[in-house]
Amino acid sequence: MNRDRLDEFQRIVEKIYDEFDERFFVHLNGGVVIEEDVCYHPEVRDGDLLVLGAYRRDLIGRSIILYYGSFMEMYGYLTEEELEREIRKTFEHELTHHLEFLARENDLEVEDLKYIRRYKEK
């Protein structure tokens, strides 16, 4: 693993996090976690469905998970600026899951399920 790239990833995540008002993270008691693993979706075929991030709700609490290994697998060749754009998209996507959960909405979850259904139909 490239330690410099992981440090860069962490700095980018911290920068994005700091751009949001703290109220967006209310009840995100597990915080934002960076996992070093590559994560594949359970429906994966041929290693072509990486999971970049997840919103986790469990007994420990609620957290946003960003999979560094998956980002490197998919975007490891990008410049720092380009990588930041991709991390931001995933960060905002997972934060939206958190906010929708708090609001008892599930629009994004429905969209994610539609995406997986289309993937499986290919």
Side-chain angles (χ1 to χ4, degrees), residues 27-107:
H27 305 295
L28 193 67
N29 53 351
V32 178
V33 177
I34 296 172
E35 295 280 341
E36 293 182 20
D37 302 329
V38 174
C39 181
Y40 293 95
H41 192 278
E43 302 286 346
V44 68
R45 299 183 312 248
D46 304 321
D48 62 348
L49 190 57
L50 287 164
V51 175
L52 299 174
Y55 174 58
R56 185 182 301 160
R57 298 182 316 266
D58 57 24
L59 294 175
I60 297 171
R62 298 177 197 99
S63 54
I64 291 174
I65 312 300
L66 298 172
Y67 293 99
Y68 167 77
S70 294
F71 272 94
M72 290 301 101
E73 184 79 17
M74 184 173 272
Y75 300 120
Y77 62 92
L78 295 178
T79 66
E80 184 173 346
E81 182 178 289
E82 293 167 330
L83 181 60
E84 181 178 331
R85 276 196 297 273
E86 297 306 325
I87 295 169
R88 182 178 306 280
K89 285 183 214 174
T90 300
F91 186 96
E92 290 175 355
H93 180 97
E94 301 311 332
L95 183 58
T96 300
H97 277 299
H98 172 62
L99 298 173
E100 284 191 352
F101 173 76
L102 295 177
R104 295 190 168 110
E105 297 288 333
N106 67 345
D107 295 344

Side-chain angles (χ1 to χ4, degrees), residues 17-27:
Y17 179 93
D18 289 343
E19 291 173 3
F20 286 88
D21 189 289
E22 282 298 315
R23 65 187 169 161
F24 288 104
F25 302 106
V26 170
H27 305 295

